[in-house]
């Protein structure tokens, strides 16, 4: 299997001394990507990390519903949730790295997926990836070595994601090792590496 080619930024990786509860999601705001699970798990994490933040990048037909969900949770007593969860909207490919540079944990909870470029960009930038264990994701991310995976949908998914988020923050050395390993792993998706497999294949035709 020859992986897809992803444009990687060689200048973007930042070595970290530790990770903070600064989270980011870069997915379309549709039912497929279950942003509500990310928000619910984030709210649970706030009980232990009240200064945590979540940047939600992307646009979609669920945006108004998700924003209303955050407002409702705030009314129900989740203090300043509207300030902690920030809906950024659609941004350019270049701007994505501006947000990755100021966050430490990438959250992704799709029902199904192929090879999400946003996760590769996070690995490239030195951001720890936590994703649902679906589709092609486990072929990109090895649980416990280059990132963290969780199982389940709806309530089970919320619990699974929250568990991995807390584990990552409570096991700093392991998280830093995963970030470094992921940065090395993602290089195989660059044109420099993919061409070594692709060009000989064409030459054999």
């Amino acid at each position: 299997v020859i992986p897809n080619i992803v444009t990687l930024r060689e200048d973007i990786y930042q070595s970290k001394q530790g990770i903070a509860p600064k989270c980011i999601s870069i997915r379309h705001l549709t039912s497929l990507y279950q942003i509500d699970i990310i928000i619910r798990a984030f709210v649970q994490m706030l009980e232990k990390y009240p200064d945590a933040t979540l940047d939600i990048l992307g646009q979609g037909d669920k945006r108004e519903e998700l924003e209303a969900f955050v407002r409702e949770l705030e009314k129900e007593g989740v203090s300043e949730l509207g300030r902690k969860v920030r809906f950024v909207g659609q941004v350019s490919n270049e701007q994505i790295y501006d947000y990755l540079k100021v966050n430490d944990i990438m959250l992704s909870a799709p029902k199904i997926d192929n090879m999400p470029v946003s996760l590769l960009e996070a690995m490239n930038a030195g951001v720890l990836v936590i994703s649902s264990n679906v589709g092609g994701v486990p072929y990109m991310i090895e649980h416990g070595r280059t990132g963290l995976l969780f199982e389940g949908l709806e309530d089970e998914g919320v619990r699974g994601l929250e568990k991995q988020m807390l584990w990552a923050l409570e096991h700093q050395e392991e998280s830093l090792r995963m970030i470094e390993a992921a940065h090395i792993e993602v290089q195989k998706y660059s044109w420099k590496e993919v061409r070594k497999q692709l060009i000989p294949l064409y030459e054999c035709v």
Side-chain angles (χ1 to χ4, degrees):
V1 175
I2 298 176
N4 286 341
I5 302 165
V6 177
T7 301
L8 301 176
R9 287 270 302 276
E10 295 183 1
D11 63 325
I12 203 68
Y13 180 71
Q14 299 182 98
S15 180
K16 300 178 186 291
Q17 299 301 312
I19 63 169
K22 298 187 294 184
C23 308
I24 184 170
S25 166
I26 308 175
R27 308 311 303 259
H28 293 302
L29 308 189
T30 65
S31 58
L32 174 64
Y33 295 108
Q34 302 189 111
I35 306 301
D36 59 311
I37 282 182
I38 291 174
I39 294 171
R40 290 167 62 196
F42 175 78
V43 168
Q44 294 298 317
M45 188 185 71
L46 283 173
E47 295 181 10
K48 190 162 187 177
Y49 295 94
D51 294 329
T53 57
L54 171 60
D55 287 337
I56 298 177
L57 278 62
Q59 195 60 273
D61 59 11
K62 291 289 184 180
R63 175 165 180 170
E64 290 186 7
E65 181 181 320
L66 291 166
E67 289 180 323
F69 180 49
V70 168
R71 289 194 296 270
E72 186 61 32
L73 288 172
E74 190 167 28
K75 288 179 182 178
E76 292 175 1
V78 184
S79 178
E80 297 187 313
L81 187 61
R83 179 181 62 81
K84 296 171 183 176
V85 176
R86 301 181 286 246
F87 288 88
V88 178
Q90 197 71 33
V91 302
S92 68
N93 290 338
E94 189 66 25
Q95 287 177 305
I96 283 173
Y97 279 108
D98 292 335
Y99 287 93
L100 287 171
K101 284 192 293 186
V102 296
N103 285 290
D104 290 336
I105 303 174
M106 162 72 82
L107 305 178
S108 183
K111 296 177 182 177
I112 189 67
D113 217 328
N114 185 10
M115 192 195 79
V117 173
S118 60
L119 303 193
L120 297 176
E121 290 170 332
M123 294 162 71
N124 182 213
V127 176
L128 178 66
V129 172
I130 305 179
S131 174
S132 51
N133 186 13
V134 297
V137 174
Y139 296 94
M140 299 164 51
I141 297 170
E142 182 180 341
H143 178 71
R145 189 181 75 85
T146 56
L148 295 170
L149 303 175
F150 67 92
E151 306 288 345
L153 305 174
E154 300 181 353
D155 290 346
E156 181 185 2
V158 173
R159 291 191 295 271
L161 177 54
E162 179 200 4
K163 178 182 177 181
Q164 298 302 335
M165 293 163 71
L166 292 175
W167 188 93
L169 290 164
E170 293 165 2
H171 294 80
Q172 291 282 323
E173 289 186 10
E174 290 92 335
S175 292
L176 292 176
R177 281 199 294 268
M178 285 189 285
I179 288 170
E180 292 176 4
H183 180 65
I184 294 170
E185 180 75 11
V186 79
Q187 302 308 311
K188 73 180 185 182
Y189 296 91
S190 69
W191 168 241
K192 178 182 177 182
E193 295 301 320
V194 173
R195 69 182 179 184
K196 296 176 184 178
Q197 303 174 63
L198 195 59
I199 291 175
L201 183 63
Y202 278 106
E203 291 174 342
C204 290
V205 176

